[in-house]
Amino acid sequence: MTNGAQMGARLATEDASLTTEGTPAMGAEVACPACGSAVAGQAVEVYGRCSLFACAKCDLQFWEPRTMPDARWYEQMYGGRDEKLLPLEPGHKYFLADPPGPGRGELLDIGCGTGNFLTAAREAGYEVSGTELDRNAARFAKERVGLPRVFPLTISGFVEQYPGKKFEVVTFFEVLEHQAAPVEFVEKVKACLQPGGFVALSVPNRERWLTGPDVLDYPPNHFLRWNSRALTNLLGTHGFEVLAVREQPAGFVHTAQMINMALRTGLSRPSASEGPASFRDVMQMEAEQAAAVLRRAPTARQRAMQLLGRMKYAACFAAALAVYPYIRMRGKKGAYLYCLARCKD
Ligand SMILES: [Zn+2]
């Protein structure tokens, strides 16, 4: 059985079935969800029923319309991640090693998954709590990883249920790009921060080196595309002093993935009878239809294509060895944009 995460991971590096670029539609005037400015003019990109707009004032790119999926959607799409402890992400490591960070205190991690970061933060001396919408992941974190304070709530739900609870640190790694209403999200974060409290976060860097579309970076999975300017603008206008911003450089694996993406061979292109194989398309389906696609066993042709695809990907690692020094020299950016900030209120 192919689950969402595996499918996403596979297709994130090879998706030859995409045809939606290059047809920008005239957009009506829309408001930037971060700074409120009116954004008029053509969409930067159109995908399905959604259009991507760019705010000239704060530099955020955002999709319209934005309707956040429910908990079931996240369970369906990220289902492969809810029964294991994933390795730490660069943002987690930056925070735990960041000298201006608080170093101790009560910490809340929004979207904590199965608790990989919370486990490391606890070992580093923090008293840890987390929220996670995927109920299976939340249960795994509590029962198997031994993190008693993991709540299957949104940040709004948490603030409502625990109105007096304040933390020294609130973290949200790879969460802000999923938000339909970033200002409301930041206000909820502030509502559970102590005076002078810290936030640490990461988002996919919009300026990362890409040789094709990143299929996970589309609605309803991601609604917002950030760069360091858009991120520091949002935090600055909501009472935060930005202490550190880090843009991860493109690494060796990223280089291999981009070579793989650039060399389109059609190995992942579905035949008409096999239905859509792009994770980007599955994400926009109704729940039942998406569930059926994710449950469907791969055909012999698909399995053969997957094998060839993996062989091609392995060959790209060899190619990456040759070009990586050049990529480093050119200063290409990787996927992670990390930020540490402190509340001035
Ligand atoms: Zn804006």
Side-chain angles (χ1 to χ4, degrees):
M1 194 172 96
T2 306
N3 65 47
Q6 284 170 345
M7 190 170 182
R10 176 167 60 82
L11 288 164
T13 54
E14 183 164 350
D15 184 349
S17 63
L18 307 174
T19 53
T20 59
E21 286 77 22
T23 52
M26 287 302 291
E29 192 173 273
V30 290
C32 170
C35 73
S37 300
V39 178
Q42 289 202 324
V44 177
E45 191 177 337
V46 174
Y47 175 62
R49 48 187 183 272
C50 300
S51 301
L52 182 71
F53 292 93
C55 176
K57 188 174 173 213
C58 77
D59 220 10
L60 179 71
Q61 290 186 358
F62 57 96
W63 290 91
E64 289 278 343
R66 297 181 302 280
T67 308
M68 284 188 72
D70 57 13
R72 189 184 158 195
W73 187 89
Y74 291 100
E75 285 166 10
Q76 192 173 45
M77 294 300 163
Y78 287 88
R81 300 179 179 185
D82 58 17
E83 287 193 342
K84 59 185 170 202
L85 214 51
L86 296 170
L88 290 182
E89 295 171 10
H92 301 151
K93 293 178 188 168
Y94 289 151
F95 173 77
L96 292 170
D98 219 327
R104 61 189 164 79
E106 278 203 80
L107 177 151
L108 176 70
D109 186 33
I110 301 169
C112 67
T114 50
N116 53 346
F117 169 65
L118 285 183
T119 304
R122 184 171 59 182
E123 279 168 17
Y126 290 96
E127 289 173 59
V128 299
S129 302
T131 66
E132 174 52 53
L133 273 187
D134 180 335
R135 288 161 292 188
N136 298 322
R139 196 179 309 123
F140 185 89
K142 275 176 104 152
E143 294 171 6
R144 301 279 297 280
V145 185
L147 295 161
R149 293 191 302 275
V150 170
F151 307 93
L153 296 169
T154 61
I155 183 63
S156 303
F158 182 85
V159 170
E160 246 169 62
Q161 211 159 317
Y162 303 95
K165 187 68 203 159
K166 306 280 182 190
F167 295 86
E168 273 94 4
V169 193
V170 177
T171 56
F172 39 105
F173 299 103
E174 307 298 294
V175 167
L176 198 53
E177 67 274 19
H178 295 270
Q179 301 305 312
V183 169
E184 285 79 350
F185 180 86
V186 169
E187 289 302 325
K188 296 291 179 193
V189 167
K190 279 181 82 175
C192 50
L193 257 190
Q194 283 191 359
F198 290 82
V199 292
L201 65 136
S202 69
V203 287
N205 191 346
R206 189 177 82 217
E207 295 174 1
R208 67 191 176 281
W209 177 39
L210 280 173
T211 55
D214 179 340
V215 295
L216 298 178
D217 201 11
Y218 283 83
N221 194 36
H222 294 173
F223 292 119
L224 310 172
R225 290 185 179 174
W226 300 92
N227 62 3
S228 61
R229 187 170 161 248
L231 195 56
T232 51
N233 277 335
L234 177 78
L235 293 169
T237 51
H238 291 277
F240 287 92
E241 180 196 356
V242 174
L243 302 174
V245 173
R246 290 190 190 193
E247 292 184 297
Q248 181 200 34
F252 178 70
V253 173
H254 187 93
T255 301
Q257 286 171 342
M258 290 310 112
I259 294 170
N260 192 39
M261 190 183 259
L263 300 173
R264 294 214 168 152
T265 55
L267 290 177
S268 70
R269 195 190 305 276
S271 72
S273 61
E274 286 163 351
S278 167
F279 192 67
R280 208 167 62 156
D281 294 333
V282 177
M283 288 194 311
Q284 288 209 339
M285 288 175 183
E286 295 300 325
E288 281 69 30
Q289 194 187 358
V293 171
L294 294 173
R295 262 200 312 269
R296 194 182 295 157
T299 63
R301 177 187 174 277
Q302 281 173 328
R303 284 200 302 273
M305 290 297 113
Q306 281 169 12
L307 178 63
L308 285 172
R310 281 197 290 271
M311 288 165 66
K312 179 194 148 209
Y313 187 35
C316 290
F317 273 83
L321 270 178
V323 300
Y324 185 52
Y326 172 74
I327 297 301
R328 282 211 76 117
M329 195 183 75
R330 290 288 305 272
K332 299 269 191 195
K333 293 176 184 177
Y336 274 90
L337 172 57
Y338 164 83
C339 183
L340 177 75
R342 186 167 199 176
C343 192
K344 290 188 282 191
D345 304 340

